[in-house]
């Protein structure tokens, strides 16, 4: 697979690419102290170039500091189902422990793709980690799209898919005190291939978590094509696997990647704060 040419000419931050398809570690910046405009411009460029960036060597950010940093990228999104910090609906508390019945983010998915305007980006800081396990895998949907044949790309261009969340969210957080009786969970139609609004690159935009059918096909055709695409996106060529250290911060671009959080550490605890940034309606 061809590797994208990139100039590593950052002056204010240290950017260390992890894989040809995606992922870079960022060092040399302390997010607890705020971020100047010129350093932020480099962070933003690294984020668009690498799709997911990992800030190492951080201290635990106060919720307002994390919120302020995330707001540099845009307005914040509020999760339709998940538990949040008291008085801070933008901060989704990620928490798994011995009593947990379910962990967030298990299985390949794009965050909240059931929204008409799904979040552009997600920022997660993990404060408490198990001794081993709890890695997060990310897969580039640019790379997954680029690897398809031209006839397959052409066929996918004209298709739209249904993204639903009732089956994902109903009752999911009941063990964490969320009563969702009477709540209506979102669903949306999106193109199967989307154009990234900032880079102009095309990315595959269906995921096993939320995408339930391709609208223009028969149900057998839809099931088989989605099955093929869900297997296709799992290729290790498109992936980076992140091994967290305490207080690392991951910032990922939901417009061009999927992720999968591994719950392989039960009964141990893993905890952190997630903030998402609003996005636009996907278009072809
Ligand atoms: C998620 O936001 O999907 C969870 C990611 C993680 O816990 O690593």
């Amino acid at each position: 697979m061809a590797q994208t040419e990139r100039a590593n000419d950052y002056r204010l931050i240290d950017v260390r690419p992890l894989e040809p398809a995606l992922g870079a570690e960022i060092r040399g910046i302390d997010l607890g102290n705020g971020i100047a405009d010129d350093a932020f411009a480099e962070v933003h460029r690294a984020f668009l170039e690498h799709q997911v960036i990992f800030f190492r060597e951080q201290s635990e950010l106060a919720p307002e500091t994390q919120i302020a940093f995330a707001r540099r990228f845009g307005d914040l999104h509020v999760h339709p189902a998940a538990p949040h910090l008291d008085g801070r609906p933008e901060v989704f508390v990620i928490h798994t422990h011995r009593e947990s019945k379910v962990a967030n983010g298990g299985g390949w998915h794009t965050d909240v793709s059931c929204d008409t305007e799904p979040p552009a980006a997600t920022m997660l800081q993990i404060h408490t980690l198990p001794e081993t396990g709890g890695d997060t895998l990310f897969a580039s949907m640019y790379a997954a799209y680029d690897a398809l044949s031209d006839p397959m790309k052409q066929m996918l261009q004209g298709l739209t898919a249904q993204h639903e969340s009732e089956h994902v969210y109903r009752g999911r957080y009941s063990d964490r005190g969320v009563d969702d009786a009477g709540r209506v969970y979102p669903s949306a139609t999106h193109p199967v291939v989307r154009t990234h609004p900032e880079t102009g690159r095309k990315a595959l935009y269906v995921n096993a978590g939320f995408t339930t059918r391709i609208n223009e096909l028969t149900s057998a055709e839809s099931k088989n094509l989605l099955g093929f695409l869900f297997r296709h996106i799992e290729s290790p060529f498109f992936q980076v696997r992140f091994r967290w250290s305490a207080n690392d911060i991951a910032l990922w671009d939901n417009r061009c990647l999927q992720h999968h959080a591994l719950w392989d550490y039960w009964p141990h605890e893993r905890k952190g704060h997630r903030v998402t940034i609003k996005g636009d309606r996907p278009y072809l």
Side-chain angles (χ1 to χ4, degrees):
M1 197 169 59
Q3 192 166 342
T4 313
E5 293 288 335
R6 300 188 199 102
N8 198 334
D9 57 354
Y10 295 91
R11 286 184 312 110
L12 302 169
I13 55 173
D14 176 5
V15 179
R16 304 183 188 179
L18 291 174
E19 296 293 343
L22 80 168
E25 286 188 356
I26 310 286
R27 293 172 192 265
I29 186 164
D30 176 2
L31 296 173
N33 284 331
I35 177 166
D37 289 348
D38 49 359
F40 178 74
E42 290 201 352
V43 165
H44 192 240
R45 176 153 70 91
F47 164 69
L48 291 179
E49 221 165 67
H50 297 281
Q51 306 153 59
V52 55
I53 52 179
F54 306 104
F55 298 90
R56 295 288 206 181
E57 301 159 340
Q58 301 298 317
S59 49
E60 182 172 331
L61 298 185
E64 46 287 0
T65 309
Q66 187 174 356
I67 287 172
F69 178 44
R71 280 217 177 106
R72 300 290 297 265
F73 293 86
D75 290 339
L76 300 188
H77 168 271
V78 173
H79 196 280
H84 53 75
L85 276 188
D86 276 351
R88 294 274 188 208
E90 314 92 327
V91 183
F92 173 179
V93 182
I94 299 274
H95 194 191
T96 335
H97 48 82
R98 178 180 289 278
E99 312 307 330
S100 298
K101 301 277 179 284
V102 64
N104 201 71
W108 286 104
H109 68 288
T110 305
D111 285 332
V112 202
S113 70
C114 52
D115 269 2
T116 309
E117 295 183 343
T122 303
M123 183 185 292
L124 174 64
Q125 182 171 48
I126 296 290
H127 310 139
T128 306
L129 279 164
E131 201 174 294
T132 57
D135 296 357
T136 309
L137 278 64
F138 297 86
S140 169
M141 294 301 103
Y142 293 146
Y145 175 75
D146 290 346
L148 294 169
S149 67
D150 286 341
M152 178 58 92
K153 284 181 184 154
Q154 248 164 5
M155 184 179 78
L156 297 181
Q157 302 276 339
L159 301 178
T160 62
Q162 207 57 32
H163 294 240
E164 294 181 69
S165 61
E166 171 70 25
H167 65 291
V168 179
Y169 294 142
R170 179 68 55 203
R172 179 172 187 147
Y173 299 104
S174 56
D175 62 337
R176 296 182 59 189
V178 176
D179 173 8
D180 62 2
R183 198 178 288 185
V184 177
Y185 285 120
S187 69
T189 297
H190 297 306
V192 167
V193 175
R194 71 178 292 185
T195 302
H196 193 291
E198 293 186 86
T199 67
R201 292 183 68 186
K202 289 208 185 305
L204 206 49
Y205 198 66
V206 288
N207 68 86
F210 295 101
T211 313
T212 49
R213 70 165 278 125
I214 296 183
N215 295 313
E216 295 77 8
L217 303 183
T218 66
S219 109
E221 287 168 344
S222 164
K223 187 162 176 266
N224 282 286
L225 182 55
L226 284 177
F228 162 73
L229 293 172
F230 295 160
R231 280 194 306 282
H232 173 72
I233 70 101
E234 291 182 3
S235 162
F237 281 104
F238 314 147
Q239 288 179 19
V240 63
R241 177 173 179 146
F242 188 59
R243 173 102 186 91
W244 297 83
S245 296
N247 298 326
D248 286 343
I249 297 171
L251 174 68
W252 62 86
D253 190 334
N254 291 303
R255 300 163 295 186
C256 58
L257 56 69
Q258 300 193 24
H259 59 285
H260 181 165
L262 297 181
W263 191 23
D264 54 357
Y265 50 89
W266 187 88
H268 300 288
E269 186 181 23
R270 183 175 180 276
K271 189 170 184 195
H273 288 169
R274 184 181 115 158
V275 173
T276 43
I277 296 125
K278 279 186 177 172
D280 306 322
R281 187 170 195 151
Y283 57 88
L284 174 62

